[in-house]
Amino acid sequence: MKGSYYEYVLKVKSPLILAKHLHRKIYVSESDYISGSRVRGALLTFLYEQGYSNVKEEAYNPSIIFSPAYPVMKEEDKPVIGHAFSFKSKIDGDGKVFSSLGDVRALKKKFKEKPTSLFPSSSPSGKEKGVIKSVLGKPLFFDGKYWREIKIKMFEVESTAIDKRMGRAHTRMVFGFEAIPVGVIYKGYVYDSKNILDKELGLRNNRFDIFIGRGSSRGFGRCEIEFRRIDYSSRIDEIKKFIYENRFVVVMAFSPFTFPVGPLTYSVAPNELKSNNWISFDGRLTLYSYIDEIGRKFFASFGRQRSFMSYSLLANMRRPMINVSVQGSLYLYDVDGDIESISNALYYAEMKGFSNLASLGLGIIRVFDHDFLWGE
Amino acid sequence: MIVMDVVLKPRYLLIVSSGKPEELMSMDEVFSRKIMAFYDGNGLKYESRRYVPGSTLKGILRSSATRVASLLGLSSCGEIEPNRINEKHEELNNFIVVEGKKVCHVCDMFGFPGGPKSPLRVSDGEFSKIYVDEFTRSSINRKSNVVNRGALYSYEEVILNSVIRFKIELVKDDDWMQRLLLASLVEIVYSGMGKGCGVSLYIENVKGLNTDDEIIRTFYELLVGEIKL
């Protein structure tokens, strides 16, 4: 394997504000995940402050790719998110999560013959009461018996500007922020293609503080980060085995997903995943589709899309907004060509994404070879 | 990069209030709290802990810097309204240029709307020792000299001998910034914090200060011992 692969653990040490929009004068934060671009930006800022001279080079030619960080209950847990066929009962207070998929190998058949079974209106087993709702992209944990959703209770931080002459709060200048509590643990993965983190910076197994999100100069967003190297080499055999057996692959978006299909043009469900200068392979990955008896065409992409915004500290400006599919979305691609080469490409796409948009935390995938929610 | 730990002790009754949690609705003003999360084997559980937000401490430092800047030959616009800050900066004679714009020294160090990230970072103030008491106050009608109807307020306040610790990090090494930071810390002792609470403070574990500079050294020597009025 070229480069090194790490998991990173983020522990929130001061209230964390991950503002996504302003609602009634309160900055609303996202709590389900911390995007890869935020963590990457925070690390680059840390390196810049420490005097690491190649930060600008790294910003222009990314070699360190961060996946999003998802909340986990314990440090040793793996980050898990709900996929497109995961649901929970609306009235079940426990937040027990179940899947309508089951055997991944049967997805193609189910999609063509009985697609409604993939999106039921109530629990197929009848164990979970009432109407159900999707937990697509939501962080999950296994409590030893069931999968459950991790729900983080946010709290509101208020701040006000003090009038320097009057010595009291200034009229109309009260600001509210939703903050993530101290003590929450997030976990994600990072791919370092040039071994910079270990060899040049010696950051492996080191714990240090970085600042994420809004208000870092005012005490918010202090997080402790630790990089732990992991051996990921056995994964390639699992991917290869699945493709050899089925001749298709189910791809799950582990981060918000989009794929460049032309100059400044992106698709959330590309008809074909093409070899490019980021990931190259010999063969074709074509989005599975079928035409029903009345001529309607259905594509095997399951999930939801939303808009994605990011900010460049280097240019000190907002990047253009693009549409992405929500993490946990699933795609069924037919495989045609050299399976060895395609498996290798998918293995690297799990670590460094499908295109250079991965430096913004986009397009990192997982090959969905088994439904972890089924039967547990 | 300059890093220092500051120890601050209230000399009277300190109140730093924020939005109050539901369980404390019976109190009119409660001390600022943050929520701590922990895993208890079944799921996430939460508890609240009193603290002084970093934004409050940075705000106090900024107010203090505004008052001492001119003594150090530095400028301060003294403005907080984002719409008026640029106008005030244009009127300055003593300024520095940031991204092609005139900016006062205080705004350059503490940040201003639309400007680059502030080089000064102030952490949350954590209590290493805390004594809390509840107080009730009323307001007196000046004409009748009796309590105003319904004007009975209850406060949760931190009393003297409590100890607050916080960290200051200054990313830039400029001498004028170090002078302004240390002078502001000294000034807090004279102007107090919160609702008129006098404080004493000292610094420990200092890294990166340029003590060859006479002004910085003088302030540093003053701050290493506890300053109180």
Side-chain angles (χ1 to χ4, degrees):
Chain A
M1 184 180 105
K2 283 181 224 158
S4 9
Y5 199 47
Y6 301 86
E7 61 179 20
Y8 66 91
V9 182
L10 274 174
K11 284 185 196 161
V12 179
K13 285 174 77 178
S14 72
L16 177 60
I17 301 168
L18 302 173
K20 58 177 180 182
H21 63 261
L22 193 62
H23 178 70
R24 291 186 182 176
K25 282 197 161 184
I26 294 175
Y27 286 88
V28 178
S29 278
E30 58 193 9
S31 62
D32 290 342
Y33 79 112
I34 305 175
S35 78
S37 64
R38 280 193 204 261
V39 187
R40 191 180 124 84
L43 181 77
L44 292 187
T45 305
F46 168 81
L47 295 177
Y48 184 72
E49 286 171 1
Q50 298 296 314
Y52 177 62
S53 56
N54 290 343
V55 169
K56 282 199 172 175
E57 171 60 23
E58 174 57 36
Y60 289 122
N61 296 310
S63 66
I64 306 171
I65 304 298
F66 282 82
S67 83
Y70 295 99
V72 291
M73 285 297 183
K74 290 171 280 174
E75 256 185 69
E76 58 271 26
D77 288 355
K78 281 185 179 173
V80 177
I81 52 170
H83 55 69
F85 306 123
S86 52
F87 303 92
K88 69 169 190 178
S89 164
K90 273 191 176 180
I91 58 170
D92 176 14
D94 289 345
K96 209 190 298 171
V97 173
F98 62 93
S99 166
S100 63
L101 177 59
D103 188 0
V104 179
R105 287 166 298 184
L107 176 60
K108 205 180 219 182
K109 198 176 167 207
K110 268 191 177 178
F111 172 57
K112 197 171 176 183
E113 292 172 6
K114 212 177 173 188
T116 49
S117 69
L118 293 169
F119 299 100
S121 56
S122 60
S123 161
S125 67
K127 282 181 193 166
E128 291 78 21
K129 302 279 183 296
V131 181
I132 57 173
K133 68 174 185 181
S134 169
V135 288
L136 170 67
K138 300 285 180 195
L140 309 177
F141 78 104
F142 189 61
D143 68 357
K145 210 172 171 189
Y146 301 108
W147 284 96
R148 293 184 194 281
E149 186 183 342
I150 301 177
K151 275 197 166 177
I152 293 170
K153 186 175 145 190
M154 315 283 270
F155 70 104
E156 195 188 323
V157 178
E158 285 165 353
S159 61
T160 179
I162 302 293
D163 190 309
K164 300 284 174 276
R165 285 176 291 269
M166 305 290 282
R168 59 160 173 77
H170 196 282
T171 323
R172 290 180 287 114
M173 290 188 76
V174 180
F175 307 96
F177 304 94
E178 250 187 7
I180 294 165
V182 177
V184 176
I185 303 171
Y186 285 85
K187 206 168 179 182
Y189 298 96
V190 56
Y191 176 68
D192 176 13
S193 62
K194 293 181 186 163
N195 294 322
I196 294 171
L197 292 176
D198 193 8
K199 284 185 184 162
E200 281 192 42
L201 302 169
L203 296 180
R204 180 178 164 190
N205 297 336
N206 265 348
R207 288 172 185 223
F208 54 95
D209 287 355
I210 58 170
F211 293 86
I212 297 175
R214 208 179 165 91
S216 62
S217 72
R218 293 174 282 141
F220 298 115
R222 184 184 286 265
C223 296
E224 183 189 89
I225 192 168
E226 185 186 2
F227 294 101
R228 299 170 184 162
R229 193 165 180 167
I230 50 175
D231 181 14
Y232 204 58
S233 53
S234 61
R235 179 71 179 141
I236 193 163
D237 295 327
E238 293 168 15
I239 297 171
K240 217 181 284 177
K241 186 170 176 264
F242 186 89
I243 299 177
Y244 266 118
E245 284 175 1
N246 302 289
R247 300 284 159 171
F248 69 80
V249 64
V250 182
V251 169
M252 182 176 91
F254 192 65
S255 69
F257 185 86
T258 190
F259 189 76
V261 288
L264 294 176
T265 321
Y266 307 97
S267 169
V268 292
N271 283 335
E272 191 181 341
L273 289 176
K274 286 179 184 160
S275 179
N276 54 52
N277 55 11
W278 190 260
I279 290 274
S280 62
F281 53 91
D282 300 326
R284 285 163 64 94
L285 286 167
T286 321
L287 189 65
Y288 175 71
S289 63
Y290 75 91
I291 299 171
D292 70 359
E293 59 273 16
I294 56 168
R296 291 176 302 181
K297 194 169 187 181
F298 292 91
F299 289 95
S301 63
F302 314 94
R304 221 175 28 231
Q305 59 174 300
R306 66 173 178 86
S307 53
F308 177 85
M309 288 176 284
S310 62
Y311 194 87
S312 166
L313 265 185
L314 203 64
N316 202 16
M317 62 191 292
R318 204 175 274 283
R319 295 192 185 98
M321 192 166 72
I322 54 174
N323 272 357
V324 295
S325 62
V326 173
Q327 53 274 40
S329 298
L330 293 174
Y331 303 91
L332 199 161
Y333 281 96
D334 278 326
V335 175
D336 191 14
D338 181 358
I339 291 179
E340 293 281 329
S341 165
I342 289 173
S343 305
N344 198 41
L346 288 166
Y347 166 68
Y348 275 102
E350 285 199 347
M351 294 187 284
K352 64 171 192 165
F354 251 113
S355 69
N356 57 2
L357 289 173
S359 63
L360 303 180
L362 298 175
I364 292 161
I365 57 136
R366 286 287 176 271
V367 172
F368 195 65
D369 51 358
H370 76 282
D371 185 2
F372 51 86
L373 296 176
W374 188 255
E376 285 172 323
Chain B
M1 186 165 168
I2 290 111
V3 183
M4 63 177 81
D5 292 328
V6 182
V7 182
L8 197 142
K9 295 179 183 171
R11 308 290 298 170
Y12 187 54
L13 304 173
L14 173 66
I15 178 153
V16 177
S17 62
S18 183
K20 50 190 171 182
E22 217 171 289
E23 64 271 19
L24 292 164
M25 279 312 218
S26 57
M27 192 83 69
D28 289 306
E29 267 191 54
V30 294
F31 206 88
S32 181
R33 282 165 159 80
K34 65 178 167 186
I35 307 292
M36 314 285 291
F38 60 93
Y39 178 61
D40 75 339
N42 289 318
L44 284 175
K45 294 284 177 283
Y46 301 90
E47 63 179 29
S48 64
R49 185 191 286 177
R50 291 181 193 88
Y51 81 124
V52 183
S55 56
T56 301
L57 294 167
K58 194 176 174 192
I60 292 163
L61 267 176
R62 187 182 188 128
S63 301
S64 180
T66 304
R67 289 189 285 266
V68 297
S70 60
L71 301 175
L72 295 167
L74 305 171
S75 60
S76 163
C77 63
E79 189 54 71
I80 54 164
E81 180 79 56
N83 301 329
R84 283 195 231 131
I85 283 182
N86 280 345
E87 276 174 40
K88 283 272 182 180
H89 283 167
E90 284 303 318
E91 292 166 9
L92 291 173
N93 294 321
N94 177 13
F95 57 85
I96 41 178
V97 178
V98 178
E99 293 175 353
K101 285 182 192 167
K102 283 182 180 180
V103 175
C104 73
H105 291 88
V106 172
C107 283
D108 184 40
M109 184 159 146
F110 287 86
F112 58 99
K117 204 172 177 182
S118 161
L120 182 73
R121 272 201 301 255
V122 183
S123 77
D124 288 341
E126 304 289 349
F127 284 97
S128 52
K129 231 199 253 181
I130 183 165
Y131 304 102
V132 184
D133 209 346
E134 289 168 17
F135 293 85
T136 306
R137 294 197 178 97
S138 58
S139 73
I140 305 292
N141 188 311
R142 286 186 185 179
K143 284 182 187 163
S144 60
N145 272 348
V146 293
V147 176
N148 278 322
R149 198 182 172 93
L152 189 65
Y153 307 105
S154 54
Y155 298 85
E156 181 190 54
E157 302 190 56
V158 166
I159 58 175
L160 62 170
N161 285 337
S162 301
V163 179
I164 303 161
R165 286 174 192 274
F166 63 99
K167 185 177 263 187
I168 293 177
E169 289 160 308
L170 183 60
V171 177
K172 289 185 183 169
D173 295 334
D174 300 13
D175 282 352
W176 70 262
M177 282 197 181
Q178 298 183 37
R179 289 175 190 171
L180 185 58
L181 173 62
L182 296 179
S184 308
L185 281 169
V186 172
E187 208 273 341
I188 290 176
V189 177
Y190 294 90
S191 57
M193 64 182 280
K195 291 184 177 172
C197 174
V199 293
S200 65
L201 65 81
Y202 61 93
I203 57 176
E204 52 184 24
N205 305 326
V206 186
K207 273 185 217 160
L209 268 187
N210 176 20
T211 46
D212 292 340
D213 182 282
E214 202 186 327
I215 298 173
I216 295 171
R217 193 172 61 247
T218 309
F219 282 128
Y220 171 69
E221 284 167 0
L222 202 57
L223 282 161
V224 167
E226 188 173 343
I227 318 179
K228 52 187 165 189
L229 289 181

